[in-house]
Amino acid sequence: MAAGTPGGEALLVAIGAVPGAWLRFRVVDHLEPVLPRRHWGTFGVNVIACFALGLMVGLEQSCGEGSRRLLLLLGTGFLGSFSTFSTFSAELRHELISRNWREAAVLAGGSVAGGLVAMLLGLSLGAGA
């Protein structure tokens, strides 16, 4: 299966997804004992993924067609599974149900603002390289 075919592209995403999901699990699990709540580990990996994806997109602008395959492997596959909107949503829901209003607001606002700032910083660094 060639990397430019739909099946080849899906394979690239799948190959990148496995180590991304594994690393997220390991990082969040490792940080759990030192963070006040588990969702801050999820927050951290999501912000890191936003920065890394911004960096990759910024760098990709100066690369050729080969960068498309690399973006599928690392951007969509690895970073897509390293970050997790669904876990963020479930953890935010838990804070809301527990009536931890301040924690929920900081988590929601920090995730959106932190992710956007991290992505823009990565994009700026990548585009300037």
Side-chain angles (χ1 to χ4, degrees):
M1 226 179 300
T5 65
E9 291 175 350
L11 183 60
L12 286 173
V13 171
I15 290 169
V18 171
W22 177 84
L23 184 59
R24 172 176 36 94
F25 172 77
R26 298 295 299 153
V27 168
V28 172
D29 199 47
H30 181 75
L31 291 175
E32 187 173 8
V34 297
L35 295 174
R37 295 212 198 312
R38 184 173 181 87
H39 59 247
W40 292 117
T42 302
F43 169 85
V45 297
N46 285 344
V47 170
I48 290 167
C50 288
F51 173 80
L53 187 59
L55 183 64
M56 288 178 60
V57 169
L59 290 169
E60 187 264 343
Q61 295 172 358
S62 64
C63 297
E65 176 58 29
S67 65
R68 183 180 185 299
R69 291 188 298 276
L70 194 57
L71 273 175
L72 286 170
L73 175 71
L74 297 177
T76 305
F78 182 82
L79 293 174
S81 66
F82 180 67
S83 64
T84 172
F85 188 77
S86 57
T87 301
F88 157 71
S89 297
E91 291 170 346
L92 180 59
R93 177 186 175 274
H94 174 76
E95 293 305 316
L96 291 168
I97 288 172
S98 300
R99 297 183 184 269
N100 295 330
W101 308 122
R102 181 182 165 155
E103 188 82 9
V106 171
L107 179 60
S111 292
V112 173
L116 184 59
V117 167
M119 188 277 304
L120 291 172
L121 180 60
L123 185 62
S124 176
L125 287 174

